[in-house]
Amino acid sequence: MLQLLAAAAFALLAMIVRGLTGFGAALVMTPLLLLVFDPKLAIVSAAIVQAVIGLTLLYQVRRQVSRDHLKLLLPPSLIGIIAGAVVLVQFDSTLLKRGLGIVVMLFALRQIFALRGAQAERTRWPRPWGYLAAVISGMLGALFGTSGPPIVIFLENQIDSGVVLRATLIAYFAAVDTVRVGGYVIGNLITTQALQTAAVMLPAAFVGSWLGTRLHVGMNERVFRLVISGLLFATGALLAVG
């Protein structure tokens, strides 16, 4: 019983973060669940909760989503997932993960210092860089279950509006999480225990999502982007020390 109560509390916290920023639920939820559950149960239960909440949030923000960016990012992300599963297992994944973590931390620090100073004119990266971000994202998702940093970094550069940025992140990760759950179904990983754990977590997750959305409404653009940069730094730190 205590394990399930802890899981509900983790889901509440994780979905406050996702409701606020559009991403970051896995950063919070999965490491905490691993403290009380075995890895398979933790990862599968978290994926179910993230997919359900992601689709709910997507319905709420569907009119603000940048569909052009989704069309750009989703297909190469699937290629990255396949590449990560088939090719990169031959590389030193620990070294790769730590290297990526350091890069993400440095980028996040750069963004934080830039946002604290005078607002500089945003230099757009070429849109085709999105293909690279999406492929790397898919690879990371396949290898480590952490697909967020490349997509968040790319979209933060491309989209000026915090509302549109959050909505597009929600849409992207809702799609990715749904595909993940579909893969777990095919792999017969959706057990009765995973469904029961997810069912306990979902009510708290819905509350957390609502609270995060309410917090986002009252947040200005600069603070919103500072929060995103802070989450990126935390993600990078977890990758670097993992």
Side-chain angles (χ1 to χ4, degrees), residues 62-229:
R62 63 193 183 281
R63 292 185 177 86
Q64 289 83 45
V65 173
S66 172
R67 289 171 172 77
D68 287 343
H69 284 100
L70 286 185
K71 292 176 184 177
L72 175 75
L73 296 173
L74 285 174
S77 291
L78 296 177
I79 295 173
I81 290 171
I82 296 171
V86 175
V87 179
L88 289 186
V89 292
Q90 302 176 34
F91 289 78
D92 186 341
S93 60
T94 300
L95 182 62
L96 176 66
K97 182 168 64 170
R98 289 177 177 169
L100 174 76
I102 292 170
V103 171
V104 171
M105 290 170 68
L106 291 174
F107 175 85
L109 286 174
R110 176 182 177 277
Q111 293 299 98
I112 290 170
F113 285 119
L115 286 165
R116 288 184 61 188
Q119 189 67 35
E121 182 178 350
R122 185 181 297 271
T123 301
R124 292 279 184 268
W125 298 330
R127 282 175 64 90
W129 283 28
Y131 295 123
L132 177 62
V135 170
I136 295 174
S137 174
M139 290 177 177
L140 293 174
L143 287 171
F144 312 122
T146 308
S147 59
I151 295 299
V152 177
I153 289 171
F154 177 74
L155 288 179
E156 197 276 338
N157 172 264
Q158 297 288 301
I159 299 175
D160 286 324
S161 167
V163 171
V164 176
L165 173 60
R166 172 178 173 270
T168 307
L169 288 171
I170 286 171
Y172 176 84
F173 291 113
V176 170
D177 290 338
T178 301
V179 170
R180 283 178 59 204
V181 172
Y184 294 153
V185 171
I186 294 172
N188 293 318
L189 295 174
I190 306 294
T191 64
T192 301
Q193 187 178 8
L195 289 172
Q196 290 173 341
T197 304
V200 171
M201 294 165 64
L202 274 170
F206 277 113
V207 173
S209 175
W210 179 83
L211 287 172
T213 300
R214 296 288 293 178
L215 288 171
H216 173 79
V217 170
M219 184 176 292
N220 67 43
E221 289 283 335
R222 180 168 293 194
V223 173
F224 175 68
R225 291 182 185 274
L226 279 171
V227 170
I228 284 183
S229 296

